[in-house]
Amino acid sequence: MVSKTVLGLFTAGVIALCCTSAAMADAKASIEARQACMKANGGMIKVMVPIIKGQKPYDKAAIDASIANAQKACGGWADWWGADTKPGGAVKTEAKAEIWSDAAGFEAAGKAYVTAEAAVQASTDEASFKAAFPALGKACQGCHEKFRQAD
Ligand code: HEC
């Protein structure tokens, strides 16, 4: 007969296994989700920059669609920064440790981005779009400089 102690240890082992791999799956899902959000951000910038440069005509519908796409992809943002998603963990990430050591700074960078994006979204013609865009570009850059590892 298996003693209670052995059974207890076995059960504890199974739980540890279960929950370590579950946490790892969570970390992987979080990192993939935030990278997908960032890719959608990149797609948004690719729509906007040619308009800024005058290579493409102003197109409010295309701008709005690119913002909606990014907002959809980034909807779960707040849940993607668990301690198990730090750099140096099991899943590769370009996130910097400063996201966790300077959480207030990271949050401020996120807020600057949301504000700038809303201003671009609220722009209604070429002139107001061109006036609002630089702050959005700066918000991407500002956060990356502090919180994303250079390629
Ligand atoms: C509040 C911080 C923050 C803001 C604002 C931000 N980013 Fe990022 N970005 C990150 C972090 C952190 C990563 C690394 C994510 C990872 O690898 O886990 C990243 C990664 C990326 C990547 C690489 C994604 C991949 O393929 O792995 C792209 C592209 C990108 N960002 C574009 C943008 C653009 C464009 C904007 C502005 C419209 C923007 N980001 C705004 C923090 C930010």
Side-chain angles (χ1 to χ4, degrees):
M1 224 182 110
V2 184
S3 78
K4 269 203 175 145
T5 319
V6 171
L7 196 63
L9 279 174
F10 178 70
T11 313
V14 170
I15 289 170
L17 260 182
C18 118
C19 298
T20 308
S21 58
M24 235 158 84
D26 279 358
K28 190 169 186 287
S30 292
I31 290 171
E32 283 172 2
R34 70 200 190 198
Q35 290 174 343
C37 151
M38 285 297 154
K39 285 197 175 94
N41 271 335
M44 178 177 79
I45 293 300
K46 275 198 190 120
V47 168
M48 294 176 182
V49 166
I51 298 174
I52 294 294
K53 288 187 173 165
Q55 294 162 346
K56 282 206 174 156
Y58 174 72
D59 184 343
K60 168 86 177 143
I63 291 166
D64 284 352
S66 73
I67 294 174
N69 187 49
Q71 284 172 342
K72 197 173 152 212
C74 297
W77 179 268
D79 298 328
W80 297 334
W81 309 95
D84 56 350
T85 67
K86 288 182 185 180
V91 187
K92 193 183 172 297
T93 171
E94 289 177 356
K96 273 193 186 169
E98 281 78 357
I99 290 173
W100 291 269
S101 63
D102 180 14
F106 185 62
E107 192 170 336
K111 279 201 180 127
Y113 159 77
V114 169
T115 305
E117 191 182 56
V120 170
Q121 200 170 20
S123 66
T124 50
D125 57 17
E126 187 165 358
S128 57
F129 168 66
K130 286 192 169 169
F133 178 82
L136 181 59
K138 271 192 201 133
C140 310
Q141 205 189 348
C143 187
H144 287 176
E145 275 168 5
K146 276 193 189 162
F147 300 110
R148 179 189 172 194
Q149 286 164 46
D151 296 309

